Amino acid sequence: MDTDDEQSQSILVESFLFSGRVTNIISLLAFHPQYLDCFIRTQYFMMRGEGPLPFNWRNYLAILVSISHALQTTSFSSLFFRGCFFMFLND
């Protein structure tokens, strides 16, 4: 194996041990090990590293952003997003 393959394999193993799975985006980025390393470190810092927001708020914001991003292409996006937002607030 050359060094890129070894580096990719070690990053994939580290990712699996950290989260219990290897996502599709991480598998795809394994072809670019230097970028994958930066991506995983950034993701870890944003979601699990030290920061001003508690972990549950970070996950809540990630859910809201993903809903907003997924619904940008639909015609009912603002109505559905508002409904989801108020549904989370009522829990």
Side-chain angles (χ1 to χ4, degrees):
M1 269 200 247
D2 67 357
T3 57
D4 281 347
D5 289 341
E6 292 171 354
Q7 186 180 11
S8 295
Q9 183 179 7
S10 68
I11 293 172
L12 290 172
V13 167
E14 180 183 335
S15 175
F16 178 77
L17 293 175
F18 175 69
S19 65
R21 66 188 191 118
V22 177
T23 62
N24 291 336
I25 188 72
I26 290 176
S27 297
L28 183 65
L29 290 176
F31 292 108
H32 306 283
Q34 293 84 11
Y35 184 76
L36 175 61
D37 186 42
C38 291
F39 176 80
I40 288 176
R41 290 182 193 279
T42 302
Q43 184 181 24
Y44 175 81
F45 179 75
M46 287 189 332
M47 295 307 291
R48 300 184 190 236
E50 292 292 322
L53 293 176
F55 295 124
N56 58 346
W57 285 28
R58 295 178 200 188
N59 290 327
Y60 175 71
L61 289 174
I63 291 169
L64 288 179
V65 168
S66 66
I67 289 171
S68 175
H69 179 72
L71 294 175
Q72 285 179 354
T73 58
T74 64
S75 60
F76 299 107
S77 63
S78 63
L79 178 64
F80 185 74
F81 180 70
R82 287 186 194 130
C84 288
F85 182 73
F86 290 120
M87 181 181 69
F88 281 113
L89 289 178
N90 290 332
D91 284 346

